[in-house]
């Protein structure tokens, strides 16, 4: 970055990893400028503030960020507690965004439209590595170009959920039925209650996002007569969602799976297996969902717990090297493939594995994992520590691993969330025994634990 060292480093996104990135850059003597599409820091998390994280506070706090907070009188949360998304915002991100160091560098309602090199499209090679970046930003209706030395994309994947249809494509008619499709993690017992009470609801998906929503809907059905709960999964059974049951080594996980199984067996939840969605047809008051095998279900509301994928459109003019399966950086892809790895089996990694042919450009955080769901906030914090060190020229620090996680084998196969969210609402963390655990509590469901890919993708 020598030739452009007086320019700032653009950070896209003001979630936990984005703000941690800025804190690390500041400690390295680099100047960040943070672009957040939403009105406040943590705007995406605001959509699931009612959900409890799977990992305790001590794995959700970043050290340089805490050092910015400490002079303000900020009180450290109880490190063994499992925070809700709202607590992560209210007790950490909002105070962090309000510190003078961050507040003066944070631009909200700033949607990044594109990233490129100044005067160069992706086909031009000459002087590319020493040419500044241009970040085009829509500032609440006013479009401006920002010239920066480097770009770190921590924008996450919340805005681009996977479609309901099979084969990675939207189901036929899905785009027309948007008014009948909810957000991926609706607050069915709170903010969104009116949209679900007394309605016929179809939940699609086989991960812990689906499990959490189904259990909350069952609680709603006790209070709101006429609430009908349907559950569609592509697989031949829902056994992987039920987990280990009561004997499970992690009580909260076992309680979630056992309760969900009981609700299905009691008929409170109608389970439809092998239900790959082919099309949606919007009716007068409902939507009709047709499976590939011709079966149909009618619902008032569809909850898409189908996972997320990265939005790469803003990066089209950059030279990226992405894994063909999970759309993560090529060297990282095989290490995080959810078919073979859980959160704890993913090795700590930093700038070297996150690098692209586009020098001084990095994707970090949840977006760096592409379509893989095995991301942890603690992993993201290690990523940005290494990236900041690399941009500052401290390659020894950038290449040194500073993070150790146990091989828990308890990550979710749900592509809808990272391993940090959501935790079941079946019991408090204290009741579940999670807070006393000496290792990270990553409550979810086992993935395959065979390490590394076989001969093919």
């Amino acid at each position: 970055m020598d030739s452009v060292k007086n320019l700032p480093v653009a950070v896209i996104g003001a979630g936990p990893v984005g703000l941690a990135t800025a804190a690390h850059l500041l400690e390295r003597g680099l100047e960040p400028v943070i672009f957040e599409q939403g009105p406040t820091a943590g705007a995406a998390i605001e959509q699931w503030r009612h959900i409890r994280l799977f990992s305790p506070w001590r794995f959700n706090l970043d050290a340089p960020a805490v050092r910015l907070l400490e002079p303000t009188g900020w009180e450290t949360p109880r490190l063994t507690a499992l925070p809700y998304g709202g607590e992560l915002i209210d007790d950490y991100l909002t105070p962090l965004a309000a510190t003078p160091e961050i507040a003066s560098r944070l631009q909200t309602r700033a949607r990044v439209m594109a990233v490129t090199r100044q005067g160069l499209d992706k086909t031009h090679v000459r002087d590319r590595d020493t040419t500044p970046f241009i970040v085009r930003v829509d500032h609440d209706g006013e479009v401006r170009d920002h010239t920066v030395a480097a770009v770190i994309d921590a924008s996450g994947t919340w805005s681009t959920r996977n479609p309901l249809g099979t084969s990675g494509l939207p189901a036929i008619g899905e785009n027309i039925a948007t008014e009948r499709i909810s957000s991926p993690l609706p607050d069915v017992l709170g903010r969104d209650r009116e949209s679900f009470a007394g309605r016929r609801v179809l939940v699609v998906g086989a991960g812990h996002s689906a499990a959490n929503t189904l259990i909350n809907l069952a609680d709603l059905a006790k209070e709101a007569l006429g609430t009908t709960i349907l559950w569609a999964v592509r697989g031949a059974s829902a056994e992987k969602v039920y987990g280990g049951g009561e004997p499970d080594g992690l009580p909260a996980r076992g309680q979630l799976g056992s309760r969900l199984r009981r609700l299905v067996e009691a008929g409170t939840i109608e389970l439809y297996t092998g239900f790959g969605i082919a099309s949606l047809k919007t009716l007068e008051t409902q939507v009709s969902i047709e499976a590939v095998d011709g079966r149909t279900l009618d619902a008032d509301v569809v909850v898409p717990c189908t996972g997320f994928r990265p939005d790469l459109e803003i990066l089209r003019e950059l030279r990226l090297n992405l894994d063909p399966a999970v759309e993560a950086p090529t060297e990282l892809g095989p290490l995080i493939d959810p078919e073979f790895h859980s959160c704890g089996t993913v090795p700590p990694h930093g700038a070297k594995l996150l690098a692209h042919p586009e020098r001084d450009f990095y994707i970090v955080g949840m977006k760096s994992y592409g379509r893989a769901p095995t991301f942890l906030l603690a992993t993201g914090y290690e990523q940005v520590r290494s990236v900041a060190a690399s941009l500052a020229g401290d390659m020894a620090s950038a290449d040194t691993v500073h993070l150790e996680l146990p091989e828990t084998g308890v990550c979710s196969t749900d592509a809808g969330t990272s391993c940090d969210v959501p935790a079941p609402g079946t019991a408090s963390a204290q009741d579940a025994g999670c807070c006393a655990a000496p290792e990270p509590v990553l409550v979810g469901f086992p993935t395959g634990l065979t390490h590394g890919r076989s001969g093919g993708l």
Side-chain angles (χ1 to χ4, degrees):
M1 286 188 9
D2 290 343
S3 62
V4 290
K5 61 183 180 182
N6 293 325
L7 293 174
V9 176
V11 178
I12 306 175
V17 175
L19 294 187
T21 302
H24 280 273
L25 291 171
L26 287 168
E27 286 202 345
R28 288 284 179 174
L30 300 175
E31 180 66 24
V33 55
I34 313 160
F35 300 114
E36 165 58 44
Q37 178 173 340
T40 60
I45 298 175
E46 185 65 39
Q47 302 303 307
W48 49 266
R49 66 177 295 122
H50 57 288
I51 298 296
R52 191 190 293 273
L53 275 72
F54 277 178
S55 51
W57 267 115
R58 66 192 179 106
F59 290 97
N60 298 320
L61 300 173
D62 179 63
V66 168
R67 287 192 282 272
L68 289 179
L69 284 164
E70 286 174 338
T72 69
W74 174 77
E75 294 185 7
T76 305
R78 186 161 57 88
L79 297 182
T80 53
L82 302 178
Y84 284 91
E87 292 172 320
L88 187 66
I89 295 173
D90 300 340
D91 299 339
Y92 179 52
L93 296 182
T94 298
L96 179 58
T99 61
E101 295 86 351
I102 298 296
S104 61
R105 297 167 172 91
L106 172 60
Q107 300 184 25
T108 57
R109 302 187 188 277
R111 180 178 64 87
V112 173
M113 304 169 65
V115 181
T116 188
R117 292 281 187 175
Q118 189 175 53
L120 305 175
D121 64 22
K122 92 190 300 182
T123 66
H124 287 78
V125 178
R126 184 176 297 177
D127 299 326
R128 189 172 190 89
D129 287 351
T130 57
T131 299
F133 290 89
I134 294 294
V135 181
R136 178 161 293 178
V137 181
D138 180 346
H139 293 273
D140 206 13
E142 179 186 352
V143 177
R144 299 200 301 270
D145 286 345
H146 298 260
T147 305
V148 298
V151 177
I152 303 173
D153 185 349
S155 58
T157 58
W158 176 259
S159 63
T160 46
R161 69 163 177 84
N162 286 326
L164 290 167
T166 59
S167 306
L169 300 176
I172 295 173
E174 181 173 343
N175 296 335
I176 300 173
T178 53
E179 291 187 1
R180 297 286 174 185
I181 302 173
S182 77
S183 66
L185 283 170
D187 185 2
V188 302
L189 295 173
R191 177 187 57 211
D192 303 316
R193 188 181 191 280
E194 186 176 341
S195 298
F196 294 89
R199 311 292 291 280
R200 184 175 173 86
V201 183
L202 171 65
V203 176
V204 181
H208 47 66
S209 295
N212 191 75
T213 300
L214 287 162
I215 287 174
N216 286 340
L217 282 168
D219 289 339
L220 176 64
K222 296 176 183 177
E223 306 169 0
L225 297 179
T227 303
T228 304
I229 310 166
L230 315 177
W231 179 22
V233 298
R234 294 181 188 176
S237 77
E239 286 301 314
K240 71 173 183 177
V241 191
Y242 298 145
E246 299 298 348
D248 198 295
L250 291 173
R253 178 179 65 182
Q255 291 168 11
L256 175 69
S258 295
R259 185 177 178 196
L260 185 59
R261 184 192 294 273
R262 289 194 298 269
L263 289 168
V264 171
E265 291 175 348
T268 304
I269 297 171
E270 300 175 25
L271 172 62
Y272 297 86
T273 58
F275 200 93
I277 296 177
S279 66
L280 282 78
K281 182 178 180 181
T282 303
L283 307 176
E284 185 174 346
T285 60
Q286 291 186 320
V287 60
S288 179
I289 303 96
E290 182 176 1
V292 174
D293 61 10
R295 288 179 292 165
T296 61
L297 295 171
D298 292 344
D300 298 311
V301 186
V302 178
V303 182
C305 300
T306 50
F308 296 84
R309 58 181 60 176
D311 178 7
L312 301 172
E313 183 62 28
I314 65 171
L315 310 177
R316 284 181 62 86
E317 290 305 318
L318 299 182
R319 297 183 172 192
L320 306 181
N321 195 2
L322 298 174
D323 180 86
V326 295
E327 296 181 320
T330 299
E331 292 193 43
L332 179 60
L335 305 179
I336 63 173
D337 192 322
E339 290 194 17
F340 306 106
H341 287 280
S342 66
C343 302
T345 69
V346 175
H349 52 276
K352 184 176 291 186
L353 263 65
L354 296 170
H356 291 274
E358 199 71 68
R359 183 178 176 181
D360 296 334
F361 170 78
Y362 297 93
I363 302 174
V364 299
M366 186 66 192
K367 189 172 181 176
S368 72
Y369 273 41
R371 301 189 185 203
T374 47
F375 173 76
L376 289 167
L377 280 179
T379 302
Y381 296 155
E382 171 61 13
Q383 288 180 339
V384 301
R385 181 206 62 77
S386 175
V387 168
S390 178
L391 291 176
D394 185 354
M395 302 313 299
S397 179
D399 294 341
T400 302
V401 172
H402 287 195
L403 176 68
E404 293 184 8
L405 291 172
E407 186 172 326
T408 63
V410 295
C411 303
S412 171
T413 55
D414 175 17
T417 63
S418 73
C419 294
D420 285 308
V421 298
T426 57
S428 70
Q430 290 85 350
D431 294 339
C434 298
C435 290
E439 301 292 356
V441 181
L442 312 173
V443 183
F445 306 103
T447 62
L449 296 179
T450 303
H451 297 175
R453 287 180 177 158
S454 56
L457 293 174

